[in-house]
Every structure is written in structure tokens, then in C-alpha cells.
Amino acid sequence: LRTDRLTPPVLAAVKQTIARVDPGVPLDNVRSLADWVGSSLDTRRITEILLTGFALLAALLASVGIYGVMSLYVSDRYREFGVRLAIGAQPRGLVRMVLGQGIALAGAGVGVGVVGALVATRWLRALLYEVSATDPIVYATLAGALLALAAASVYLPARRAARSDPLVALRAD
């Protein structure tokens, strides 16, 4: 039956018509095609929601981890940054140096992750629809997003390094 909407009056008319033609036909589960298709995709939809949630949680944890490691890195080198500033280093140069080192480490991690993802493609193929498991655009986009997330996580410790007070750093033992 083709209709714009399967409303209760339309459903009642359909049931009456079918009951007149053949009263033995059971009509206990009459739904629209959209409902049938939607219910058949429920498992896939839940899987997608869970995978997206876990991916976002992993990105958040990675960001917090990178921030923590870089904060420790900056605090351990506080005296060095103070000395650099005392002998004439520009704060922007310190920010660039710390950002460069953090992004280099993140780039190595992204490289290892890309290789791991390429190895795991045979398990991922079943979850993908109209996308290749080795689609270079997807890999490049995700690598870029992860590097941007890493850069954002490294930026605050890098700014703190640039604001090191040379006098405090030189007096500290």
C-alpha cells in the first residue's frame, strides 16, 4: 500500500479491506516501510553511537594526557626556560619550540596509530558503509584532527614556558 502516512484511519481501512477479502490473514504487526527499515537498523545505529562516544572519550583522554605530559615537561625545564629568556630568547620562540616538540611527539603517535589502523582494517570492514577501510581522505582528516587536538593541548604549557620569570628561575635551586 502506498500512502503518505500510515495514520490510524488509513490503517483501520486497510485492515477492514483485507478482512473482507480474506478474514484468515493475520494483521497484528502492520507498520510502515520506514518503521521496518528503522527497526532493522537499530543495532547498527546503537553500534555507531557507542563507537562515536568511545572515540570522543578517547580523544578527551588523549588530550588530557598530552596536556599533563607537556605540563610536566615544562615544569621540569622551568629553569632552562628562565635562562633562555634571561639571555635574550623571545617568548614566541619558546612557544614555538615547545609546540614543535609536542607536535613532533604527537606526529609520531599518529604515525603509529595509522599503521595500527591499516593493520586492523579487516575487522573494520564490517562496520563501514560506502567507505573503504583504507580511504586516504579519512586517514588524512583524522590525522589532521588529532594533530590539531595535540597542538591545542600543548599550547597552554607552551604559553606557561614563555611566561617563565628569569629571576625566579635563576634564584631557584
Side-chain angles (χ1 to χ4, degrees):
L1 172 68
R2 185 176 294 223
T3 180
D4 290 340
R5 274 188 235 148
L6 191 59
T7 60
V10 173
L11 185 58
V14 169
K15 286 183 179 183
Q16 286 175 353
T17 304
I18 292 175
R20 268 188 266 134
V21 173
D22 186 1
V25 175
L27 293 173
D28 56 343
N29 193 10
V30 179
R31 296 188 295 176
S32 68
L33 182 61
D35 290 343
W36 280 102
V37 171
S39 66
S40 71
L41 296 175
D42 282 346
T43 303
R44 181 167 234 138
R45 192 173 296 123
I46 289 171
T47 302
E48 290 172 359
I49 290 169
L50 285 173
L51 286 176
T52 302
F54 287 136
L56 291 174
L57 181 62
L60 176 68
L61 289 173
S63 179
V64 169
I66 291 169
Y67 173 79
V69 167
M70 291 308 292
S71 288
L72 180 65
Y73 169 78
V74 166
S75 67
D76 286 347
R77 294 180 62 188
Y78 187 79
R79 184 174 178 143
E80 174 195 339
F81 295 139
V83 169
R84 285 176 183 260
L85 288 170
I87 60 174
Q90 295 296 316
R92 275 182 292 171
L94 287 180
V95 170
R96 269 187 267 131
M97 180 184 75
V98 173
L99 272 174
Q101 291 171 348
I103 291 173
L105 289 172
V110 166
V112 170
V114 166
V115 170
L118 288 171
V119 169
T121 56
R122 70 176 143 180
W123 295 293
L124 295 175
R125 287 188 204 281
L127 298 173
L128 301 175
Y129 178 72
E130 291 187 8
V131 176
S132 168
T134 57
D135 187 3
I137 294 172
V138 171
Y139 278 88
T141 302
L142 289 175
L146 290 173
L147 287 174
L149 183 68
S153 299
V154 171
Y155 182 72
L156 289 176
R159 288 284 313 259
R160 196 172 65 231
R163 283 186 268 145
S164 300
D165 185 7
L167 292 177
V168 173
L170 293 174
R171 289 183 186 154
D173 287 339

